[in-house]
Amino acid sequence: MPQDIILETQGLTKEFRGFVAVRNVALRVRRGSIHALIGPNGAGKTTVFNLLTKFHTPTEGKILFNGADITQEKPAQTARRGIVRSFQISAVFPQLTVLENVKIALQRKLGVEYHFWQSIAAMRKLDAPAMALLEQVGLARFAALLAGDLPYGRKRTLEIATTLALDPELLLLDEPTQGMGHEDVDRIKQLIKQVSAQRTVLMVEHNMKVVADISDTITVLQRGEVLAEGPYAEVSANPAVREAYMGVEEDA
């Protein structure tokens, strides 16, 4: 496995009671890149993410991360290696403040545990790194606000902040701009570009402008198989891709 490849799948296949959701997917993600996984609904994108993060076990094939075979690992083992995922639905603690949400994510990385009998003072050591993360993602001024009171786009930003708190080597983003207005989409797009300077990003994304603007490599799935792969200019000019996906997006 070349050193510039952080993640590779070989013949990755997942079958559910006779239905093949993912078939023989060969994925190679370059270290330090933004790699987009696109395709129409039902193409197998989320199944691939579930396989990579061990929510599903492959029927066949291998998953290699930094050259190590992680195919049979448990989700927690894979996360400890530095593969961290966000989800389509925002996953924050609504009754905690924005700052507290990030502190919860930081506690594991920094070796600090939340216990109900601990004093508030004991947890203050997390304030500075949590605020630094909120500054990085543009949420510092919302630190004292309850997460549940944030607008939708800011909640998604907070979710990215909590994943960054785990200091991932490979960040998997599942539909990071789903349901957002143009302003929020632009903010998240710039944030993804910013955080990719220190890590690798693999994302599932339907917004083709986001994909075109920030992706280094695009893999197109159709019916669970790789239809095409390459930079946006190459993939978007592929007639099979335009028929299967691009045209649908342009008409939407």
Side-chain angles (χ1 to χ4, degrees):
M1 187 171 177
Q3 286 192 338
D4 66 329
I5 301 298
I6 187 172
L7 178 74
E8 181 177 0
T9 66
Q10 301 173 353
L12 193 63
T13 299
K14 181 60 179 179
E15 182 176 336
F16 296 98
R17 297 182 180 179
F19 170 69
V20 181
V22 171
R23 186 192 301 275
N24 199 32
V25 168
L27 191 64
R28 288 164 66 89
V29 179
R30 286 188 294 108
R31 193 180 311 278
S33 69
I34 299 177
H35 193 126
L37 193 61
I38 71 171
N41 290 333
K45 305 180 299 295
T46 298
T47 301
V48 169
F49 260 36
N50 286 336
L51 290 167
L52 295 177
T53 51
K54 303 316 165 52
F55 289 91
H56 295 325
T57 301
T59 306
E60 295 179 18
K62 288 184 177 181
I63 302 170
L64 305 175
F65 180 66
N66 283 327
D69 188 340
I70 64 169
T71 311
Q72 300 302 322
E73 285 187 352
K74 302 294 185 185
Q77 293 174 291
T78 297
R80 282 194 290 270
R81 286 185 181 271
I83 301 177
V84 178
R85 173 187 181 178
S86 73
F87 292 85
Q88 290 183 19
I89 301 172
S90 183
V92 298
F93 295 103
Q95 297 306 315
L96 297 179
T97 68
V98 169
L99 182 66
E100 288 166 342
N101 268 269
V102 177
K103 287 169 69 173
I104 286 174
L106 278 171
Q107 62 178 330
R108 185 175 191 83
K109 188 67 181 177
L110 299 183
V112 178
E113 295 183 0
Y114 261 110
H115 296 297
F116 66 86
W117 60 85
Q118 275 191 320
S119 69
I120 293 175
M123 300 308 299
R124 284 181 182 154
K125 65 178 71 175
L126 297 177
D127 285 351
M131 283 301 298
L133 266 172
L134 291 178
E135 289 279 0
Q136 182 182 352
V137 302
L139 289 179
R141 69 182 186 274
F142 303 107
L145 193 68
L146 291 179
D149 293 337
L150 287 174
Y152 177 74
R154 301 288 186 183
K155 285 180 184 175
R156 297 308 303 264
T157 303
L158 175 57
E159 184 181 345
I160 292 176
T162 60
T163 60
L164 292 177
L166 300 174
D167 195 21
E169 189 174 355
L170 175 62
L171 178 59
L172 276 61
L173 300 176
D174 197 355
E175 300 282 9
T177 68
Q178 185 181 50
M180 291 185 183
H182 292 300
E183 183 179 340
D184 285 331
V185 167
D186 287 341
R187 185 184 300 114
I188 293 294
K189 181 177 69 174
Q190 294 307 317
L191 176 58
I192 294 170
K193 188 70 174 175
Q194 174 190 333
V195 302
S196 70
Q198 291 85 35
R199 54 189 54 83
T200 306
V201 176
L202 176 62
M203 65 177 185
V204 169
E205 180 57 63
H206 272 108
N207 188 316
M208 293 309 300
K209 188 175 189 317
V210 172
V211 171
D213 287 350
I214 67 174
S215 297
D216 300 299
T217 305
I218 301 166
T219 299
V220 185
L221 292 181
Q222 184 183 32
R223 299 187 183 95
E225 300 184 66
V226 174
L227 180 63
E229 185 171 279
Y232 179 80
E234 177 183 320
V235 167
S236 62
N238 185 312
V241 173
R242 295 181 68 84
E243 180 181 353
Y245 186 67
M246 300 291 188
V248 174
E249 194 68 24
E250 289 171 356
D251 293 341

